Amino acid sequence: MTKLFQMVAEYSDGDDDIFIDAHINSTDDKQNYVCSRNVGVGAHFYKILHEAPAEPKFGLLFCNDRFFFKPHQYFLAFDVFNNLHHRKNKRIRTENVQMNHSGRMQYNTPVMNFLAKSFPRSCYLFACAVPGIVGTPVDWLAPIEAEEYPGFSGVFLPDIPGVNVYPFTVTEHNQFLASLNKRSKHKVQKMEISQVTGIPNDAEVKCLLLFFMEVLEQDCPIQTLVEHYLVKQEKNIALGGAIVHELGFPFRVGNESRAIGGGVAFSGENVQAASVIIEKHVKTIKELEIKLKKLKECNIPGKKCLGFMFACCGRGALFYQKSNVEATAFHKVFPNVPLFGVFGNGELGINYLPKQTKEKTKVNSTIKGISGRTWLHAYTTVFVLLSFEN
């Protein structure tokens, strides 16, 4: 049986101690994971990789800004690797080459190239740098919201029968996508979308996770991409994501246009998904659990299931006057589903709550978001449930 590989979410209380404070089985009992120094995060990272039950083909990483931009504080070997990698790239720089001479993907940031060397050469990594992260440590059942502390969380997927995974990035060179909306209000040229994302035109995308680095202007490529799939599939798609500070992704040497967004799409007969928006007026745990139970009512299979949480950075401990509220509420409703995600500067999502029928369920999100977009929000949290079991 194929297993999902979970990465630990860890965070630091100050510059030295690594500290995890996690509720176990929704009780008041607590356990701590303590490292004597920041580099313990790196050591634990290698330990988890070594114990992975399957070879990962795709990895989605959520990194706190400090971890993403200062990896030398967490990995003893980073500075040596980075110096060697920089000199090597000077020698082998070639136009339009996707891989370096070793066959490994080249990434746009030093930390991504450093992390990639620990994975199979064919593994595609995609990362976001954000103010805060959400993760489910391997050693504990309960998810953790780490709003202010450096660390990372993520999920790594092997090949799974009946599941197609399409990671992609959208760069400044893809601005031609923006003009598609101007050609027709109701139709988008499929081939151009497919060229950017690598998603086949005939694929039925069940779940789309998107991340972008700036507030979207009208008719920007990301807007065109989202609305293309909402129209194409009559909103029968789970949608989630966030505005982030930075992205980590493979790039084509000689074509290093700045990325403005990216993400991953899931399709296939064994993929089921749903998404729900926790609106800004939801301020109590009771209201939160009512919303999450709507996800539960979708009866998404839970054996090979992941949860994603994309929260506004204003909806954490200060919002509830208590830490870990939304992650704990998710764990109460879905005690066996690991949760991963981010605190960002804007949230992407729709209410998609399909019922288990053979007929497609037409779902309309009536929530008015930023600039009238029904899929871009502020002061909300978007939960996505994604299952690889049919």
Side-chain angles (χ1 to χ4, degrees), residues 104-155:
R104 192 175 300 282
M105 292 183 185
Q106 290 285 326
Y107 287 84
N108 65 318
T109 66
V111 66
M112 293 299 292
N113 280 308
F114 177 77
L115 294 176
K117 72 183 182 66
S118 298
F119 290 87
R121 293 177 179 179
S122 60
C123 182
Y124 188 113
L125 299 179
F126 185 91
C128 304
V130 290
I133 60 171
V134 180
T136 303
V138 173
D139 305 278
W140 293 276
L141 296 177
I144 295 170
E145 298 176 14
E147 296 181 64
E148 300 176 356
Y149 304 97
F152 62 97
S153 72
V155 59

Side-chain angles (χ1 to χ4, degrees), residues 78-95:
F78 176 79
D79 284 335
V80 173
F81 168 83
N82 194 39
N83 290 335
L84 290 173
H85 187 77
H86 180 71
R87 291 199 297 268
K88 186 186 297 181
N89 276 352
K90 275 189 167 181
R91 296 197 306 269
I92 66 171
R93 193 175 185 84
T94 307
E95 288 290 320

Side-chain angles (χ1 to χ4, degrees), residues 9 60-64 128 130 132-136 143-146 152-155 211 242 307-311 338-344 382:
L60 179 59
L61 273 170
F62 302 127
C63 305
N64 175 274
C128 304
V130 290
I133 60 171
V134 180
T136 303
I144 295 170
E145 298 176 14
F152 62 97
S153 72
V155 59
F211 308 93
F308 292 96
M309 172 180 161
F310 305 110
L339 182 67
F340 302 90
V342 304
F343 286 89
V382 176

